[in-house]
Amino acid sequence: MCAILDADVAHLVFGSGRPEAGEKFFQWLNAGKGRLVTGGLSLEELNVSSEGFRKWAVQARLAGRLKVENGREVDTRTSALQREGKFKSTDPHVLALAQVSEVRLLYTNDGDLQKDFGDKNLIDNPRGKVYSTRVNKGFTTTHKRLLSRTDLCKVDH
């Protein structure tokens, strides 16, 4: 299983004082049950926004818990999405990453990005699912269900 992490919540996963849902997401990654997928501008944003991510990423990549997609492919797809203009958020690079990687689980608290990620015209086969702590920072049944799904990314991730 794998997921994409929006930079707006990196501190909730890699910072100190994580909420319960952020802590469980971090444990899921560190236990090898999940793999974080990033690339292009998403990787740059994570590196800038979170020292904790930068430190974690070095070992995680070696251990296979972090997959970095080809930045050129992600950037090309981002440009195509911008030309099409069918999204509401300010994060076409996250949508492009999902399209290129075929990862369908996103941790974000950005409401517009959540809507875009659930849009069948942007993310499909399967539809995108969002792990969010915007409303509830506790580890809910929904969070647990999302982290146990095995159909939200390509097998080779």
Side-chain angles (χ1 to χ4, degrees), residues 75-105:
D75 293 345
T76 298
R77 187 65 202 130
T78 300
S79 294
L81 282 169
Q82 289 171 322
R83 282 191 303 277
E84 294 164 12
K86 296 178 181 176
F87 56 90
K88 295 179 180 13
S89 70
T90 59
D91 296 298
H93 58 284
V94 175
L95 301 171
L97 176 60
Q99 290 177 354
V100 168
S101 67
E102 297 182 30
V103 172
R104 299 299 188 251
L105 178 61

PDB file of all heavy atoms in Angstrom, residues 75-105:
ATOM      1  N   ASP A  75       6.367  16.725 -13.767  1.00  0.00           N
ATOM      2  CA  ASP A  75       6.312  18.117 -14.223  1.00  0.00           C
ATOM      3  C   ASP A  75       5.590  18.249 -15.563  1.00  0.00           C
ATOM      4  O   ASP A  75       4.817  19.192 -15.771  1.00  0.00           O
ATOM      5  CB  ASP A  75       7.725  18.705 -14.337  1.00  0.00           C
ATOM      6  CG  ASP A  75       8.417  18.849 -12.987  1.00  0.00           C
ATOM      7  OD1 ASP A  75       7.724  18.776 -11.941  1.00  0.00           O
ATOM      8  OD2 ASP A  75       9.655  19.007 -12.975  1.00  0.00           O
ATOM      9  N   THR A  76       5.822  17.313 -16.476  1.00  0.00           N
ATOM     10  CA  THR A  76       5.150  17.325 -17.777  1.00  0.00           C
ATOM     11  C   THR A  76       3.643  17.176 -17.591  1.00  0.00           C
ATOM     12  O   THR A  76       2.849  17.892 -18.211  1.00  0.00           O
ATOM     13  CB  THR A  76       5.700  16.204 -18.687  1.00  0.00           C
ATOM     14  OG1 THR A  76       7.094  16.452 -18.901  1.00  0.00           O
ATOM     15  CG2 THR A  76       4.966  16.152 -20.007  1.00  0.00           C
ATOM     16  N   ARG A  77       3.257  16.247 -16.715  1.00  0.00           N
ATOM     17  CA  ARG A  77       1.818  16.032 -16.463  1.00  0.00           C
ATOM     18  C   ARG A  77       1.217  17.247 -15.768  1.00  0.00           C
ATOM     19  O   ARG A  77       0.075  17.621 -16.038  1.00  0.00           O
ATOM     20  CB  ARG A  77       1.614  14.754 -15.628  1.00  0.00           C
ATOM     21  CG  ARG A  77       0.175  14.381 -15.463  1.00  0.00           C
ATOM     22  CD  ARG A  77      -0.469  14.013 -16.823  1.00  0.00           C
ATOM     23  NE  ARG A  77      -1.897  14.164 -16.722  1.00  0.00           N
ATOM     24  CZ  ARG A  77      -2.667  14.828 -17.563  1.00  0.00           C
ATOM     25  NH1 ARG A  77      -2.162  15.391 -18.632  1.00  0.00           N
ATOM     26  NH2 ARG A  77      -3.961  14.929 -17.375  1.00  0.00           N
ATOM     27  N   THR A  78       1.985  17.886 -14.864  1.00  0.00           N
ATOM     28  CA  THR A  78       1.513  19.104 -14.188  1.00  0.00           C
ATOM     29  C   THR A  78       1.219  20.194 -15.215  1.00  0.00           C
ATOM     30  O   THR A  78       0.167  20.847 -15.154  1.00  0.00           O
ATOM     31  CB  THR A  78       2.561  19.604 -13.167  1.00  0.00           C
ATOM     32  OG1 THR A  78       2.796  18.589 -12.196  1.00  0.00           O
ATOM     33  CG2 THR A  78       2.089  20.875 -12.468  1.00  0.00           C
ATOM     34  N   SER A  79       2.116  20.373 -16.158  1.00  0.00           N
ATOM     35  CA  SER A  79       1.916  21.388 -17.204  1.00  0.00           C
ATOM     36  C   SER A  79       0.665  21.090 -18.024  1.00  0.00           C
ATOM     37  O   SER A  79      -0.100  22.004 -18.355  1.00  0.00           O
ATOM     38  CB  SER A  79       3.132  21.446 -18.126  1.00  0.00           C
ATOM     39  OG  SER A  79       4.253  21.905 -17.401  1.00  0.00           O
ATOM     40  N   ALA A  80       0.453  19.826 -18.343  1.00  0.00           N
ATOM     41  CA  ALA A  80      -0.746  19.443 -19.105  1.00  0.00           C
ATOM     42  C   ALA A  80      -2.011  19.747 -18.305  1.00  0.00           C
ATOM     43  O   ALA A  80      -2.988  20.272 -18.855  1.00  0.00           O
ATOM     44  CB  ALA A  80      -0.684  17.961 -19.468  1.00  0.00           C
ATOM     45  N   LEU A  81      -1.994  19.432 -17.020  1.00  0.00           N
ATOM     46  CA  LEU A  81      -3.163  19.739 -16.175  1.00  0.00           C
ATOM     47  C   LEU A  81      -3.414  21.238 -16.111  1.00  0.00           C
ATOM     48  O   LEU A  81      -4.560  21.685 -16.132  1.00  0.00           O
ATOM     49  CB  LEU A  81      -2.956  19.186 -14.759  1.00  0.00           C
ATOM     50  CG  LEU A  81      -3.171  17.690 -14.581  1.00  0.00           C
ATOM     51  CD1 LEU A  81      -2.674  17.227 -13.225  1.00  0.00           C
ATOM     52  CD2 LEU A  81      -4.645  17.350 -14.752  1.00  0.00           C
ATOM     53  N   GLN A  82      -2.361  22.026 -16.024  1.00  0.00           N
ATOM     54  CA  GLN A  82      -2.518  23.478 -15.975  1.00  0.00           C
ATOM     55  C   GLN A  82      -3.139  24.006 -17.264  1.00  0.00           C
ATOM     56  O   GLN A  82      -3.974  24.903 -17.228  1.00  0.00           O
ATOM     57  CB  GLN A  82      -1.168  24.150 -15.695  1.00  0.00           C
ATOM     58  CG  GLN A  82      -0.711  23.920 -14.268  1.00  0.00           C
ATOM     59  CD  GLN A  82       0.711  24.384 -14.019  1.00  0.00           C
ATOM     60  OE1 GLN A  82       1.590  24.245 -14.865  1.00  0.00           O
ATOM     61  NE2 GLN A  82       0.936  24.927 -12.825  1.00  0.00           N
ATOM     62  N   ARG A  83      -2.745  23.444 -18.399  1.00  0.00           N
ATOM     63  CA  ARG A  83      -3.338  23.856 -19.677  1.00  0.00           C
ATOM     64  C   ARG A  83      -4.824  23.485 -19.723  1.00  0.00           C
ATOM     65  O   ARG A  83      -5.645  24.254 -20.199  1.00  0.00           O
ATOM     66  CB  ARG A  83      -2.606  23.207 -20.856  1.00  0.00           C
ATOM     67  CG  ARG A  83      -1.297  23.854 -21.197  1.00  0.00           C
ATOM     68  CD  ARG A  83      -0.728  23.352 -22.518  1.00  0.00           C
ATOM     69  NE  ARG A  83      -0.532  21.911 -22.581  1.00  0.00           N
ATOM     70  CZ  ARG A  83       0.521  21.252 -22.102  1.00  0.00           C
ATOM     71  NH1 ARG A  83       1.487  21.922 -21.490  1.00  0.00           N
ATOM     72  NH2 ARG A  83       0.614  19.938 -22.221  1.00  0.00           N
ATOM     73  N   GLU A  84      -5.158  22.298 -19.205  1.00  0.00           N
ATOM     74  CA  GLU A  84      -6.548  21.839 -19.197  1.00  0.00           C
ATOM     75  C   GLU A  84      -7.390  22.662 -18.225  1.00  0.00           C
ATOM     76  O   GLU A  84      -8.563  22.928 -18.488  1.00  0.00           O
ATOM     77  CB  GLU A  84      -6.611  20.354 -18.825  1.00  0.00           C
ATOM     78  CG  GLU A  84      -5.968  19.448 -19.852  1.00  0.00           C
ATOM     79  CD  GLU A  84      -5.676  18.046 -19.315  1.00  0.00           C
ATOM     80  OE1 GLU A  84      -6.173  17.699 -18.222  1.00  0.00           O
ATOM     81  OE2 GLU A  84      -4.940  17.308 -19.994  1.00  0.00           O
ATOM     82  N   GLY A  85      -6.811  23.039 -17.080  1.00  0.00           N
ATOM     83  CA  GLY A  85      -7.471  23.908 -16.109  1.00  0.00           C
ATOM     84  C   GLY A  85      -8.748  23.364 -15.485  1.00  0.00           C
ATOM     85  O   GLY A  85      -9.624  24.136 -15.116  1.00  0.00           O
ATOM     86  N   LYS A  86      -8.864  22.072 -15.302  1.00  0.00           N
ATOM     87  CA  LYS A  86     -10.100  21.485 -14.780  1.00  0.00           C
ATOM     88  C   LYS A  86     -10.036  21.176 -13.285  1.00  0.00           C
ATOM     89  O   LYS A  86     -10.769  20.329 -12.800  1.00  0.00           O
ATOM     90  CB  LYS A  86     -10.434  20.210 -15.559  1.00  0.00           C
ATOM     91  CG  LYS A  86     -10.726  20.486 -17.017  1.00  0.00           C
ATOM     92  CD  LYS A  86     -11.015  19.227 -17.783  1.00  0.00           C
ATOM     93  CE  LYS A  86     -11.273  19.562 -19.243  1.00  0.00           C
ATOM     94  NZ  LYS A  86     -11.462  18.396 -20.061  1.00  0.00           N
ATOM     95  N   PHE A  87      -9.189  21.852 -12.567  1.00  0.00           N
ATOM     96  CA  PHE A  87      -9.038  21.621 -11.134  1.00  0.00           C
ATOM     97  C   PHE A  87      -9.298  22.915 -10.374  1.00  0.00           C
ATOM     98  O   PHE A  87      -9.235  24.000 -10.946  1.00  0.00           O
ATOM     99  CB  PHE A  87      -7.636  21.079 -10.818  1.00  0.00           C
ATOM    100  CG  PHE A  87      -6.526  21.965 -11.313  1.00  0.00           C
ATOM    101  CD1 PHE A  87      -6.006  22.960 -10.506  1.00  0.00           C
ATOM    102  CD2 PHE A  87      -6.021  21.812 -12.605  1.00  0.00           C
ATOM    103  CE1 PHE A  87      -4.992  23.792 -10.968  1.00  0.00           C
ATOM    104  CE2 PHE A  87      -5.013  22.638 -13.069  1.00  0.00           C
ATOM    105  CZ  PHE A  87      -4.499  23.630 -12.250  1.00  0.00           C
ATOM    106  N   LYS A  88      -9.607  22.794  -9.082  1.00  0.00           N
ATOM    107  CA  LYS A  88      -9.934  23.960  -8.260  1.00  0.00           C
ATOM    108  C   LYS A  88      -8.801  24.360  -7.309  1.00  0.00           C
ATOM    109  O   LYS A  88      -8.698  25.489  -6.897  1.00  0.00           O
ATOM    110  CB  LYS A  88     -11.196  23.673  -7.449  1.00  0.00           C
ATOM    111  CG  LYS A  88     -12.437  23.492  -8.309  1.00  0.00           C
ATOM    112  CD  LYS A  88     -13.645  23.179  -7.465  1.00  0.00           C
ATOM    113  CE  LYS A  88     -14.927  22.975  -8.211  1.00  0.00           C
ATOM    114  NZ  LYS A  88     -14.935  22.815  -9.607  1.00  0.00           N
ATOM    115  N   SER A  89      -7.971  23.411  -6.951  1.00  0.00           N
ATOM    116  CA  SER A  89      -6.924  23.660  -5.960  1.00  0.00           C
ATOM    117  C   SER A  89      -5.726  24.370  -6.584  1.00  0.00           C
ATOM    118  O   SER A  89      -5.681  24.595  -7.799  1.00  0.00           O
ATOM    119  CB  SER A  89      -6.468  22.331  -5.348  1.00  0.00           C
ATOM    120  OG  SER A  89      -5.755  21.571  -6.311  1.00  0.00           O
ATOM    121  N   THR A  90      -4.772  24.675  -5.746  1.00  0.00           N
ATOM    122  CA  THR A  90      -3.516  25.275  -6.209  1.00  0.00           C
ATOM    123  C   THR A  90      -2.420  24.210  -6.281  1.00  0.00           C
ATOM    124  O   THR A  90      -1.242  24.538  -6.247  1.00  0.00           O
ATOM    125  CB  THR A  90      -3.080  26.415  -5.266  1.00  0.00           C
ATOM    126  OG1 THR A  90      -2.922  25.863  -3.939  1.00  0.00           O
ATOM    127  CG2 THR A  90      -4.085  27.544  -5.249  1.00  0.00           C
ATOM    128  N   ASP A  91      -2.831  22.939  -6.393  1.00  0.00           N
ATOM    129  CA  ASP A  91      -1.878  21.832  -6.326  1.00  0.00           C
ATOM    130  C   ASP A  91      -1.957  20.871  -7.508  1.00  0.00           C
ATOM    131  O   ASP A  91      -2.071  19.654  -7.322  1.00  0.00           O
ATOM    132  CB  ASP A  91      -2.094  21.046  -5.031  1.00  0.00           C
ATOM    133  CG  ASP A  91      -1.803  21.879  -3.801  1.00  0.00           C
ATOM    134  OD1 ASP A  91      -0.644  22.313  -3.651  1.00  0.00           O
ATOM    135  OD2 ASP A  91      -2.729  22.089  -3.003  1.00  0.00           O
ATOM    136  N   PRO A  92      -1.863  21.374  -8.744  1.00  0.00           N
ATOM    137  CA  PRO A  92      -1.923  20.448  -9.874  1.00  0.00           C
ATOM    138  C   PRO A  92      -0.765  19.450  -9.854  1.00  0.00           C
ATOM    139  O   PRO A  92      -0.881  18.341 -10.371  1.00  0.00           O
ATOM    140  CB  PRO A  92      -1.863  21.354 -11.105  1.00  0.00           C
ATOM    141  CG  PRO A  92      -1.205  22.603 -10.616  1.00  0.00           C
ATOM    142  CD  PRO A  92      -1.667  22.759  -9.190  1.00  0.00           C
ATOM    143  N   HIS A  93       0.344  19.814  -9.204  1.00  0.00           N
ATOM    144  CA  HIS A  93       1.488  18.903  -9.118  1.00  0.00           C
ATOM    145  C   HIS A  93       1.170  17.659  -8.280  1.00  0.00           C
ATOM    146  O   HIS A  93       1.684  16.576  -8.548  1.00  0.00           O
ATOM    147  CB  HIS A  93       2.717  19.631  -8.569  1.00  0.00           C
ATOM    148  CG  HIS A  93       2.505  20.231  -7.226  1.00  0.00           C
ATOM    149  ND1 HIS A  93       1.775  21.396  -7.046  1.00  0.00           N
ATOM    150  CD2 HIS A  93       2.895  19.835  -6.002  1.00  0.00           C
ATOM    151  CE1 HIS A  93       1.742  21.682  -5.760  1.00  0.00           C
ATOM    152  NE2 HIS A  93       2.406  20.740  -5.102  1.00  0.00           N
ATOM    153  N   VAL A  94       0.286  17.790  -7.300  1.00  0.00           N
ATOM    154  CA  VAL A  94      -0.126  16.631  -6.494  1.00  0.00           C
ATOM    155  C   VAL A  94      -1.028  15.728  -7.333  1.00  0.00           C
ATOM    156  O   VAL A  94      -0.892  14.502  -7.312  1.00  0.00           O
ATOM    157  CB  VAL A  94      -0.829  17.076  -5.192  1.00  0.00           C
ATOM    158  CG1 VAL A  94      -1.372  15.880  -4.423  1.00  0.00           C
ATOM    159  CG2 VAL A  94       0.126  17.893  -4.319  1.00  0.00           C
ATOM    160  N   LEU A  95      -1.924  16.325  -8.083  1.00  0.00           N
ATOM    161  CA  LEU A  95      -2.796  15.550  -8.978  1.00  0.00           C
ATOM    162  C   LEU A  95      -1.961  14.851 -10.051  1.00  0.00           C
ATOM    163  O   LEU A  95      -2.199  13.676 -10.359  1.00  0.00           O
ATOM    164  CB  LEU A  95      -3.832  16.469  -9.627  1.00  0.00           C
ATOM    165  CG  LEU A  95      -4.748  17.225  -8.665  1.00  0.00           C
ATOM    166  CD1 LEU A  95      -5.568  18.266  -9.410  1.00  0.00           C
ATOM    167  CD2 LEU A  95      -5.629  16.266  -7.894  1.00  0.00           C
ATOM    168  N   ALA A  96      -0.980  15.553 -10.589  1.00  0.00           N
ATOM    169  CA  ALA A  96      -0.094  14.965 -11.598  1.00  0.00           C
ATOM    170  C   ALA A  96       0.685  13.787 -11.008  1.00  0.00           C
ATOM    171  O   ALA A  96       0.829  12.750 -11.653  1.00  0.00           O
ATOM    172  CB  ALA A  96       0.866  16.023 -12.132  1.00  0.00           C
ATOM    173  N   LEU A  97       1.158  13.943  -9.789  1.00  0.00           N
ATOM    174  CA  LEU A  97       1.882  12.850  -9.127  1.00  0.00           C
ATOM    175  C   LEU A  97       0.982  11.627  -8.991  1.00  0.00           C
ATOM    176  O   LEU A  97       1.409  10.496  -9.261  1.00  0.00           O
ATOM    177  CB  LEU A  97       2.389  13.307  -7.756  1.00  0.00           C
ATOM    178  CG  LEU A  97       3.074  12.242  -6.901  1.00  0.00           C
ATOM    179  CD1 LEU A  97       4.305  11.680  -7.598  1.00  0.00           C
ATOM    180  CD2 LEU A  97       3.446  12.845  -5.538  1.00  0.00           C
ATOM    181  N   ALA A  98      -0.258  11.840  -8.615  1.00  0.00           N
ATOM    182  CA  ALA A  98      -1.203  10.724  -8.482  1.00  0.00           C
ATOM    183  C   ALA A  98      -1.455  10.059  -9.837  1.00  0.00           C
ATOM    184  O   ALA A  98      -1.524   8.834  -9.929  1.00  0.00           O
ATOM    185  CB  ALA A  98      -2.518  11.208  -7.883  1.00  0.00           C
ATOM    186  N   GLN A  99      -1.559  10.868 -10.875  1.00  0.00           N
ATOM    187  CA  GLN A  99      -1.802  10.305 -12.209  1.00  0.00           C
ATOM    188  C   GLN A  99      -0.594   9.521 -12.714  1.00  0.00           C
ATOM    189  O   GLN A  99      -0.742   8.429 -13.246  1.00  0.00           O
ATOM    190  CB  GLN A  99      -2.179  11.418 -13.190  1.00  0.00           C
ATOM    191  CG  GLN A  99      -3.542  12.011 -12.914  1.00  0.00           C
ATOM    192  CD  GLN A  99      -3.882  13.166 -13.844  1.00  0.00           C
ATOM    193  OE1 GLN A  99      -3.067  13.623 -14.640  1.00  0.00           O
ATOM    194  NE2 GLN A  99      -5.112  13.648 -13.740  1.00  0.00           N
ATOM    195  N   VAL A 100       0.591  10.058 -12.531  1.00  0.00           N
ATOM    196  CA  VAL A 100       1.807   9.393 -13.001  1.00  0.00           C
ATOM    197  C   VAL A 100       2.089   8.122 -12.197  1.00  0.00           C
ATOM    198  O   VAL A 100       2.410   7.082 -12.760  1.00  0.00           O
ATOM    199  CB  VAL A 100       3.021  10.361 -12.932  1.00  0.00           C
ATOM    200  CG1 VAL A 100       4.341   9.630 -13.125  1.00  0.00           C
ATOM    201  CG2 VAL A 100       2.868  11.473 -13.965  1.00  0.00           C
ATOM    202  N   SER A 101       1.947   8.201 -10.889  1.00  0.00           N
ATOM    203  CA  SER A 101       2.288   7.073 -10.013  1.00  0.00           C
ATOM    204  C   SER A 101       1.172   6.051  -9.864  1.00  0.00           C
ATOM    205  O   SER A 101       1.410   4.934  -9.426  1.00  0.00           O
ATOM    206  CB  SER A 101       2.661   7.591  -8.625  1.00  0.00           C
ATOM    207  OG  SER A 101       1.522   8.151  -7.984  1.00  0.00           O
ATOM    208  N   GLU A 102      -0.044   6.461 -10.188  1.00  0.00           N
ATOM    209  CA  GLU A 102      -1.248   5.649  -9.985  1.00  0.00           C
ATOM    210  C   GLU A 102      -1.514   5.371  -8.505  1.00  0.00           C
ATOM    211  O   GLU A 102      -2.142   4.371  -8.153  1.00  0.00           O
ATOM    212  CB  GLU A 102      -1.195   4.350 -10.796  1.00  0.00           C
ATOM    213  CG  GLU A 102      -1.150   4.607 -12.292  1.00  0.00           C
ATOM    214  CD  GLU A 102      -1.148   3.345 -13.123  1.00  0.00           C
ATOM    215  OE1 GLU A 102      -1.723   2.329 -12.685  1.00  0.00           O
ATOM    216  OE2 GLU A 102      -0.570   3.381 -14.223  1.00  0.00           O
ATOM    217  N   VAL A 103      -1.059   6.266  -7.641  1.00  0.00           N
ATOM    218  CA  VAL A 103      -1.362   6.184  -6.208  1.00  0.00           C
ATOM    219  C   VAL A 103      -2.688   6.902  -5.976  1.00  0.00           C
ATOM    220  O   VAL A 103      -2.903   8.010  -6.474  1.00  0.00           O
ATOM    221  CB  VAL A 103      -0.234   6.828  -5.364  1.00  0.00           C
ATOM    222  CG1 VAL A 103      -0.622   6.914  -3.904  1.00  0.00           C
ATOM    223  CG2 VAL A 103       1.050   6.032  -5.529  1.00  0.00           C
ATOM    224  N   ARG A 104      -3.569   6.280  -5.223  1.00  0.00           N
ATOM    225  CA  ARG A 104      -4.912   6.806  -5.035  1.00  0.00           C
ATOM    226  C   ARG A 104      -5.264   7.128  -3.594  1.00  0.00           C
ATOM    227  O   ARG A 104      -6.427   7.284  -3.258  1.00  0.00           O
ATOM    228  CB  ARG A 104      -5.945   5.821  -5.607  1.00  0.00           C
ATOM    229  CG  ARG A 104      -5.782   5.563  -7.097  1.00  0.00           C
ATOM    230  CD  ARG A 104      -5.960   6.856  -7.878  1.00  0.00           C
ATOM    231  NE  ARG A 104      -5.990   6.646  -9.309  1.00  0.00           N
ATOM    232  CZ  ARG A 104      -5.014   7.005 -10.134  1.00  0.00           C
ATOM    233  NH1 ARG A 104      -3.928   7.582  -9.671  1.00  0.00           N
ATOM    234  NH2 ARG A 104      -5.130   6.807 -11.427  1.00  0.00           N
ATOM    235  N   LEU A 105      -4.257   7.249  -2.730  1.00  0.00           N
ATOM    236  CA  LEU A 105      -4.481   7.677  -1.350  1.00  0.00           C
ATOM    237  C   LEU A 105      -3.651   8.921  -1.109  1.00  0.00           C
ATOM    238  O   LEU A 105      -2.443   8.930  -1.364  1.00  0.00           O
ATOM    239  CB  LEU A 105      -4.092   6.576  -0.358  1.00  0.00           C
ATOM    240  CG  LEU A 105      -4.244   6.937   1.115  1.00  0.00           C
ATOM    241  CD1 LEU A 105      -5.696   7.262   1.475  1.00  0.00           C
ATOM    242  CD2 LEU A 105      -3.720   5.803   2.004  1.00  0.00           C
TER     243      LEU A 105
END
